[in-house]
Amino acid sequence: MVTASDALKRLHKGNWRFVNGKNDIARSIGEARRAELVDGQKPFAVILACSDSRVPVELIFDQGLGELFVIRVAGNIVAPSQIGSIEYAAARLGVRLVVVLGHSNCGAVEAALQALTDKQEIASPHLRSIVDTIRPALEPLIGEPENVTLRKAVRANILQSVEQLQHGSQLLEQLIASGDLTIVGAKYSIESGEVKFLDD
């Protein structure tokens, strides 16, 4: 079983390879690797990421088949289905690290920010549910004297999702309390390709 600390190191190293053009993903996407995974999976980390097409999780961490348990949803928001998926990965698959991965120029966060600052109405109830989930992370920023930037809003949304995962599930809370699970936030730069972990 891969510890949270070792999983973080693997993600750091993989992102370094991606940023520096030294990707090695071909080693773990071929026929032999597929055959190894037929009877089960042992991912070393869960990544709750945004659905944005510019954030291909396995590629930016230079990981292949069976290495990451990836959940993607617009705005990397937390909802019951995401919590259940993470509970499954932690309790059944033994994953010890969860990363909430936001990114620069996030359209979902920008939509939520516009809805708050410009009082824009969102017609679709489904899209509104995403915006409404992000909204509480942004509301404290609106009262700040300086202009609220998308960069600050993205960070606040990541931290809100981390907090919701840390305190939104009895099972996850127990695993965290026993030292068997670590949940961290990170931000991917679309511009540079670099992932910065918010605890670094």
Side-chain angles (χ1 to χ4, degrees):
M1 187 169 304
V2 179
T3 67
S5 175
D6 286 343
L8 271 172
K9 287 175 189 168
R10 283 175 72 172
L11 293 176
H12 275 287
K13 288 178 182 175
N15 183 243
W16 182 89
R17 290 191 301 270
F18 173 74
V19 169
N20 291 283
K22 300 185 182 298
N23 300 59
D24 192 25
I25 201 168
R27 69 186 150 61
S28 60
I29 60 172
E31 184 179 343
R33 180 61 177 155
R34 288 196 308 272
E36 290 172 8
L37 295 169
V38 167
D39 294 326
Q41 60 174 319
K42 292 190 179 181
F44 70 85
V46 173
I47 314 290
L48 172 59
C50 184
S51 300
D52 194 299
S53 63
R54 300 167 293 176
V55 189
V57 177
E58 286 87 354
L59 294 180
I60 67 176
F61 286 116
D62 193 33
Q63 302 299 321
L65 297 173
E67 295 175 323
L68 298 177
F69 192 91
V70 179
I71 305 157
R72 294 182 70 174
V73 59
N76 45 273
I77 61 170
V78 174
S81 58
Q82 283 86 38
I83 294 172
S85 296
I86 292 168
E87 288 176 339
Y88 173 80
R92 295 287 186 91
L93 303 177
V95 176
R96 296 294 171 245
L97 176 68
V98 177
V99 177
V100 175
L101 181 66
H103 65 91
S104 60
N105 305 326
C106 180
V109 174
E110 186 174 27
L113 194 55
Q114 286 175 347
L116 272 172
T117 56
D118 302 337
K119 309 289 188 215
Q120 290 185 357
E121 188 61 34
I122 296 171
S124 164
H126 306 292
L127 180 54
R128 189 169 50 247
S129 72
I130 294 171
V131 167
D132 287 346
T133 302
I134 297 170
R135 185 187 304 263
L138 309 187
E139 285 173 340
L141 301 177
I142 301 301
E144 291 183 0
E146 66 271 12
N147 290 334
V148 180
T149 62
L150 182 55
R151 182 184 58 78
K152 281 185 176 181
V154 165
R155 180 182 173 85
N157 184 54
I158 295 166
L159 294 175
Q160 172 179 263
S161 290
V162 169
E163 177 81 10
Q164 288 173 326
L165 290 176
Q166 289 172 336
H167 302 289
S169 157
Q170 186 175 4
L171 174 58
L172 297 183
E173 285 180 18
Q174 289 170 349
L175 289 169
I176 292 167
S178 66
D180 291 322
L181 187 67
T182 299
I183 302 175
V184 299
K187 181 181 172 188
Y188 172 68
S189 169
I190 289 173
E191 298 82 1
S192 71
E194 186 176 5
V195 174
K196 291 212 182 267
F197 288 85
L198 301 187
D199 294 340
D200 285 358

